[in-house]
């Protein structure tokens, strides 16, 4: 292999709070008006103390403002409590996913010992994505804290604690939105009665108040964990027009270890384990009533981080998602692994699981008297199966790709024409190809024939592709795909790439004379 080193892409950078102009090559369509907002880690040390894990880096927000074919760029560190406290003390004082803050060296040895028994306060370093509730923008991670953000200045506004509005401990960074402006998410809680996953809904807002407001948030449905001592890790969920599906996957969080990990001084990602001998369970709830379908749907062990799309057709629920067969990898994105080079880097890359797009199809109305062991799916366009068993309905997936995808390393970070095609039958999705530890290509998948279009250039590492529909769009792929492209080969040579979504060829780019580190998720805001 001999992979090129990506160390520079996980190095700390300075923020650019005042918008700077960019150099346009080619042409940025003049109909694009709005801001491409992105999030991700941007600072990996304070003083002498360094973060161990890539997810732990301090959240850096980016804004590409596009108008009349011109683009400006700005970025700001999220002024989270974590960031502020770490900055003031010039060392890491708040625990993150993979880094355990060392006790204050000024305390005596007894005080130090006891500080390990306090459960760490959750971090508000919200570095995963931008999300919307009631028309307001927030940055989010996987804890109970979010931060409201001004989408123009990127100024950090108030901290929001989910648990003050609704009885949950944490919510995902991947909510779904319906066409009325309501937002849906998945949270959890644990107490004397056990561990529960909760599907929640935040109603649409009226946009009148300039304050963080999650009032009216409600729990639609609560799902007890199949093993209350070992709940599953989840990153996202499935939503169609009428259903929400929670996938209980065999990446388990050991709650006992979680309570004891402070004593041993271990960090969070050590308390997650992959259990391939367990099945994956699909819990299906009515999106409007919150009623759970009684049928148990399950498949063999797999894990999924990101959903592509889901829709209903003739009494079936079609669910497309990116899946892997080895859930051991989440904890391995350490800074040390990412800054490796030569054989070490190749070895790390080869240890990673290839994620691939799959379709699961679930029959919604399974009759009691249905015979066992025959396929319940009768749709002309899928080879996915669902077989009734003694315990429920066993699902086998259809691969949503041909072998040519494998040369690009599988795909992740899928995106669709969400505004018009989410929860509806669709034909195209866009994603990143992983021929390296970080994405090194952009892919467009045409589900009619599973045909790929590819944008790939040596030494260039593109971000999650975001689709923006053209104002007079007739076809699903009328519009552009945007991605932020970075390179470890030379300093200050990042650019915003704009592809024609139909042909998947470059229309133009906006070159930014700054270093942008590898990020996570983003969205396009057509308002400002």
């Amino acid at each position: 292999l001999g992979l090129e080193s990506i160390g520079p892409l996980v190095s700390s950078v300075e923020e650019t709070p005042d918008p700077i102009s960019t150099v346009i090559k080619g042409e940025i369509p003049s109909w694009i008006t709005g801001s491409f907002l992105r999030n991700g880690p941007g600072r990996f040390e304070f003083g002498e103390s360094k973060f161990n894990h890539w997810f732990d880096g301090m959240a850096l927000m980016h804004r590409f403002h596009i108008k009349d074919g011109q683009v400006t760029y700005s970025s700001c560190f999220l002024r989270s409590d974590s960031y502020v406290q770490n900055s003031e003390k010039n060392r890491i004082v708040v625990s993150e996913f993979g880094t355990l803050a060392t006790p204050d060296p000024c305390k005596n040895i007894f005080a130090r010992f006891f500080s390990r028994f306090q459960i760490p306060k959750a971090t508000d370093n919200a570095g995963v994505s931008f999300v919307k509730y009631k028309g307001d923008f927030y940055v989010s991670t996987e804890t109970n804290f979010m931060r409201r953000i001004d989408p123009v200045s990127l100024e950090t506004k108030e901290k929001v604690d989910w648990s003050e509005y609704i009885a949950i401990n944490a919510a995902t960074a991947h909510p779904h939105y319906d066409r009325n402006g309501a937002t849906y998410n998945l949270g959890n809680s644990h107490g004397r009665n056990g561990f529960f996953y909760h599907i929640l809904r935040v109603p649409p807002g009226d946009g009148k108040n300039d304050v963080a407001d999650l009032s009216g948030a409600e729990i639609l449905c609560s799902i007890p964990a199949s093993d209350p001592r070992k709940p599953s890790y989840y990153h996202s969920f499935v939503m169609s027009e009428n259903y929400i599906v929670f996938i209980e996957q065999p990446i388990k969080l050991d709650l006992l270890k979680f309570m004891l990990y402070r004593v041993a001084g271990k960090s969070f990602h050590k308390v997650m384990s992959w259990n391939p001998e367990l099945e994956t369970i699909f819990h299906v709830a009515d999106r409007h009533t919150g009623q759970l379908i009684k049928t148990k749907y399950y498949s063999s062990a797999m894990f999924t981080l990101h959903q592509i799309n889901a829709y209903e057709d003739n009494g079936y629920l079609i669910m497309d998602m990116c899946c892997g067969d080895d859930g051991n990898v989440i904890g391995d994105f350490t800074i040390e692994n990412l800054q490796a080079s030569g054989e070490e880097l190749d070895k790390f890359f080869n240890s990673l699981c290839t994620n691939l797009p799959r379709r699961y199809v679930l029959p919604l109305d399974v009759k009691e008297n249905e015979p066992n062991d025959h396929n319940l799916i009768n749709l002309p366009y899928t080879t996915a199966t669902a077989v009734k068993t003694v315990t429920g309905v066993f699902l086998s997936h259809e691969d949503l790709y041909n072998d040519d995808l494998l040369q690009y390393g599988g795909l992740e970070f899928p995106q669709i024409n969400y505004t018009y095609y989410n929860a509806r039958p669709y034909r195209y999705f866009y994603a990143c190809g992983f021929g390296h530890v970080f994405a090194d290509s952009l892919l467009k998948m045409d589900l009619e024939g599973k045909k790929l279009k590819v944008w790939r250039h040596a030494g260039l590492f593109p971000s999650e592709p975001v689709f923006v529909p053209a104002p007079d769009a007739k076809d699903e792929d009328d519009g552009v795909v945007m991605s932020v492209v970075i390179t470890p080969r030379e300093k200050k040579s990042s650019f915003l790439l704009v592809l024609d979504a139909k042909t998947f060829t470059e229309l133009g780019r906006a070159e930014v004379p700054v270093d942008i580190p590898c990020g996570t998720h983003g969205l396009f805001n057509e308002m400002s």
Side-chain angles (χ1 to χ4, degrees):
L1 267 174
L3 290 172
E4 116 174 60
S5 163
I6 49 170
L9 308 184
V10 286
S11 303
S12 299
V13 300
E14 299 295 315
E15 61 183 2
T16 310
D18 298 317
I20 57 170
S21 56
T22 60
V23 176
I24 307 292
K25 299 277 168 75
E27 199 176 324
I28 309 287
S30 57
W31 58 259
I32 305 174
T33 306
S35 299
F36 187 25
L37 302 174
R38 283 190 48 77
N39 198 350
R43 180 166 176 182
F44 300 95
E45 65 283 301
F46 285 90
E48 295 299 297
S49 48
K50 293 181 165 53
F51 290 117
N52 299 329
H53 201 283
W54 180 55
F55 298 160
D56 294 347
M58 294 287 102
L60 179 62
M61 303 172 289
H62 309 267
R63 176 177 186 255
F64 289 87
H65 180 59
I66 308 165
K67 193 176 182 202
D68 301 329
Q70 295 303 308
V71 180
T72 59
Y73 170 80
S74 54
S75 66
C76 285
F77 281 107
L78 176 69
R79 297 306 195 262
S80 59
D81 295 351
S82 309
Y83 181 89
V84 171
Q85 288 164 18
N86 292 341
S87 298
E88 281 169 1
K89 292 269 171 61
N90 200 30
R91 63 184 183 80
I92 296 168
V93 287
V94 180
S95 289
E96 303 292 343
F97 175 81
T99 306
L100 206 66
T102 47
D104 194 321
C106 311
K107 289 183 178 170
N108 69 33
I109 189 152
F110 289 109
R112 250 176 126 164
F113 181 78
F114 283 113
S115 75
R116 292 201 155 182
F117 287 94
Q118 295 151 6
I119 288 292
K121 286 195 184 72
T123 178
D124 66 336
N125 175 36
V128 180
S129 61
F130 271 91
V131 297
K132 282 175 84 171
Y133 293 94
K134 298 190 175 189
D136 278 331
F137 288 83
Y138 295 82
V139 285
S140 173
T141 175
E142 307 197 301
T143 70
N144 54 312
F145 294 120
M146 297 190 298
R147 280 277 180 171
R148 195 164 72 98
I149 298 298
D150 180 319
V152 176
S153 68
L154 298 182
E155 183 194 343
T156 303
K157 303 281 211 180
E158 60 271 61
K159 179 162 88 169
V160 179
D161 181 348
W162 273 105
S163 60
E164 288 176 10
Y165 290 90
I166 194 168
I168 60 163
N169 294 326
T172 79
H174 292 293
H176 272 297
Y177 309 99
D178 70 16
R179 293 188 164 79
N180 304 321
T183 306
Y184 297 76
N185 209 331
L186 186 64
N188 67 60
S189 68
H190 51 94
R192 291 206 184 100
N193 303 334
F195 190 100
F196 291 88
Y197 312 103
H198 302 290
I199 294 166
L200 39 131
R201 176 182 185 273
V202 178
D206 53 18
K208 289 198 181 90
N209 306 346
D210 187 27
V211 289
D213 175 21
L214 297 180
S215 61
E218 57 176 339
I219 292 178
L220 274 183
C221 170
S222 298
I223 300 160
S226 52
D227 177 349
R229 291 167 318 229
K230 294 197 173 171
S232 291
Y233 172 74
Y234 55 84
H235 191 79
S236 64
F237 62 98
V238 177
M239 187 169 98
S240 70
E241 211 79 65
N242 296 297
Y243 296 94
I244 285 178
V245 183
F246 166 60
I247 299 170
E248 193 172 18
Q249 56 192 1
I251 299 178
K252 297 290 185 178
L253 189 66
D254 188 323
L255 283 183
L256 190 62
K257 262 195 198 160
F258 185 66
M259 299 306 178
L260 297 175
Y261 92 104
R262 281 300 269 197
V263 186
K266 290 197 170 73
S267 63
F268 290 111
H269 75 252
K270 299 277 192 289
V271 299
M272 296 214 269
S273 65
W274 168 243
N275 304 84
E277 72 288 350
L278 298 175
E279 52 206 18
T280 302
I281 304 170
F282 297 76
H283 300 273
V284 185
D286 183 303
R287 180 159 83 86
H288 310 291
T289 65
Q291 197 67 42
L292 276 168
I293 289 188
K294 291 192 172 54
T295 310
K296 177 188 162 185
Y297 300 96
Y298 64 106
S299 74
S300 51
M302 63 87 168
F303 79 94
T304 175
L305 292 177
H306 298 115
Q307 308 306 312
I308 305 171
N309 201 358
Y311 60 92
E312 297 147 42
D313 182 7
N314 276 317
Y316 299 102
L317 178 55
I318 289 91
M319 303 178 292
D320 297 347
M321 62 195 81
C322 292
C323 301
D325 289 322
D326 179 6
N328 275 320
V329 298
I330 291 186
D332 296 340
F333 278 78
T334 59
I335 300 290
E336 185 185 6
N337 280 341
L338 295 172
Q339 291 186 336
S341 55
E343 278 179 23
E344 288 301 303
L345 183 61
D346 289 359
K347 197 169 107 190
F348 173 52
F349 176 69
N350 289 326
S351 75
L352 295 173
C353 176
T354 301
N355 290 336
L356 296 162
R358 286 181 182 172
R359 171 166 291 178
Y360 288 90
V361 180
L362 188 147
L364 289 162
D365 185 22
V366 180
K367 307 269 189 297
E368 289 277 325
N369 57 2
E370 224 39 276
N372 288 355
D373 303 330
H374 85 265
N375 180 21
L376 301 174
I377 295 169
N378 182 18
L379 285 173
Y381 55 79
T382 184
T383 56
T385 62
V387 173
K388 193 166 167 224
T389 63
V390 180
T391 51
V393 174
F394 183 78
L395 308 176
S396 298
H397 65 271
E398 170 188 2
D399 288 329
L400 287 187
Y401 61 91
N402 293 319
D403 283 352
D404 60 343
L405 175 60
L406 301 176
Q407 66 187 324
Y408 301 105
L411 61 81
E412 248 298 336
F413 292 125
Q415 287 283 335
I416 58 167
N417 180 343
Y418 193 96
T419 314
Y420 298 108
Y421 288 84
N422 188 55
R424 294 175 176 168
Y426 75 115
R427 179 173 170 182
Y428 304 106
F429 67 87
Y430 310 91
C432 285
F434 281 82
H436 201 308
V437 174
F438 286 148
D440 65 346
S441 64
L442 294 171
L443 306 171
K444 176 188 183 182
M445 176 66 80
D446 180 349
L447 290 170
E448 284 186 17
K450 301 175 186 174
K451 295 191 291 286
L452 275 184
K453 284 187 161 70
V454 182
W455 183 93
R456 187 186 203 181
H457 295 275
L460 298 182
F461 293 82
S463 73
E464 168 188 72
V466 169
F467 177 86
V468 182
D472 50 357
K474 306 257 186 306
D475 298 329
E476 181 184 339
D477 58 352
D478 278 344
V480 297
V481 166
M482 291 183 193
S483 172
V484 178
V485 181
I486 57 180
T487 177
R489 295 188 179 186
E490 47 190 309
K491 302 291 277 174
K492 301 192 188 317
S493 47
S494 314
F495 60 93
L496 172 70
L497 173 70
V498 179
L499 299 176
D500 176 335
K502 246 190 189 354
T503 60
F504 221 55
T505 53
E506 180 173 340
L507 292 169
R509 58 177 71 181
E511 297 177 344
V512 198
V514 293
D515 290 315
I516 298 179
C518 187
T520 44
H521 298 285
L523 53 74
F524 185 75
N525 170 24
E526 52 281 287
M527 306 303 282
S528 58

